[in-house]
Amino acid sequence: MVAALYVRHEPEKTLLYRIVQENLNTFLQATEERGSGLPRYVRQTFRRFLDCGILQNGFVRVRCPECGYNNVVAFSCKERSLCPSCSARRMSDIAAHLVDKVFPQVPVRQWVLSVPRKLRYLFARDAKLLGAGLRIFVSEVFRHIRKASGVRPRGRALPGGVPSIQRWGSALNLNIHFHSLFLDGVYVVNSRTGLLEFVALPEPTEEDLFFVVRRTSERIKDLLRRRGIALHPSPEEQ
């Protein structure tokens, strides 16, 4: 069997790289002239992306002492929002970690909540508000899981999951939604053995999903009211 050889992906030849390289300075100047500008971390992300994978910006030499094969590997930007290469590597690393070190060998279900358009800008510019919204969503999914498990009292049912926030849609539009992986069941401590036992859940019904969404919506609206944030109703709500 022939081992695969490392081939540099040459980011400077990609369409995304050329677009950013040719238009970044003009774009940054335009935002400054409008008086808004961009946050420092956004400007840094663009700059680091242009350095990613470019040999002249630094590299390491890798050599195999057994076969003598050697090559150079350019430094990466390690940015998770713009760079396709670093984002894919980070995604693969996190997925492997979740599978190997976090989730037990039990069923897992993905729950996704898309934030309405009129809330996206509020959540995008207020990280604390966004975090509060995510916690509400997770707590409501946990509420459903405990109820559906049939374990009494419900406090004995132990759910688990890993939530995450995605900020962009496929067209790079602002589209905040919560991607979350939850155990499709609960753990319960066996009163005789003291060991944890897994209780699987039935598949959620459309009514179950509607209930979780409605509860989440009501609690987020209450949160906004407590913080003095008024939302104007959309035309279909008037």
Side-chain angles (χ1 to χ4, degrees):
M1 183 178 73
V2 179
L5 300 180
Y6 168 78
V7 178
R8 191 172 75 89
H9 66 277
E10 299 180 317
E12 67 274 16
K13 295 183 179 180
T14 64
L15 178 60
L16 175 62
Y17 187 95
R18 294 200 300 269
I19 289 175
V20 174
Q21 184 182 48
E22 294 171 6
N23 297 282
L24 179 58
N25 289 333
T26 303
F27 174 61
L28 294 178
Q29 182 179 353
T31 60
E32 292 294 338
E33 290 175 352
R34 288 200 300 266
S36 56
L38 292 173
R40 182 178 61 84
Y41 75 89
V42 175
R43 299 195 303 271
Q44 176 179 293
T45 295
F46 278 113
R47 298 295 187 193
R48 287 174 61 86
F49 169 70
L50 292 178
D51 289 340
C52 184
I54 307 300
L55 291 174
Q56 69 188 46
N57 295 323
F59 60 85
V60 294
R61 179 173 292 278
V62 181
R63 181 180 184 278
C64 175
E66 296 182 1
C67 68
Y69 171 81
N70 73 90
N71 207 332
V72 292
V73 180
F75 293 148
S76 58
C77 66
K78 297 181 175 61
E79 294 292 334
R80 63 181 181 178
S81 54
L82 178 65
C83 180
S85 177
C86 291
S87 294
R89 185 182 304 114
R90 184 185 183 93
M91 178 180 64
S92 298
D93 289 344
I94 292 176
H97 174 71
L98 291 177
V99 171
D100 296 339
K101 301 295 181 64
V102 177
F103 284 108
Q105 296 297 313
V106 298
V108 174
R109 185 177 297 275
Q110 179 178 213
W111 289 72
V112 181
L113 178 70
S114 181
V115 175
R117 287 186 176 87
K118 58 186 177 183
L119 282 181
R120 290 175 189 173
Y121 288 104
L122 284 174
F123 279 1
R125 67 170 181 255
D126 190 332
K128 291 183 178 179
L129 188 62
L130 175 60
L134 176 60
R135 287 191 293 273
I136 289 173
F137 172 60
V138 171
S139 68
E140 287 304 323
V141 176
F142 277 178
R143 177 196 295 267
H144 160 73
I145 290 175
R146 290 191 178 99
K147 179 181 179 181
S149 71
V151 175
R152 298 291 185 271
R154 292 179 187 172
R156 294 179 58 239
L158 305 175
V162 177
S164 64
I165 299 171
Q166 185 165 331
R167 296 175 177 270
W168 309 107
S170 58
L172 291 182
N173 57 311
L174 179 63
N175 183 8
I176 294 179
H177 47 291
F178 303 142
H179 276 279
S180 305
L181 296 174
F182 293 98
L183 302 183
D184 207 19
V186 296
Y187 278 97
V188 180
V189 178
N190 187 299
S191 58
R192 291 187 297 101
T193 65
L195 299 177
L196 287 174
E197 296 180 351
F198 185 75
V199 178
L201 296 183
E203 182 177 345
T205 64
E206 185 174 339
E207 183 180 355
D208 293 332
L209 300 179
F210 177 78
F211 184 77
V212 171
V213 171
R214 182 170 60 82
R215 288 265 317 173
T216 301
S217 175
E218 291 173 351
R219 290 182 58 190
I220 289 179
K221 288 178 181 178
D222 288 340
L223 171 68
L224 296 177
R225 281 193 289 267
R226 291 197 303 271
R227 298 196 178 187
I229 301 174
L231 290 179
H232 299 291
S234 56
E236 60 269 19
E237 295 174 327
Q238 293 178 340

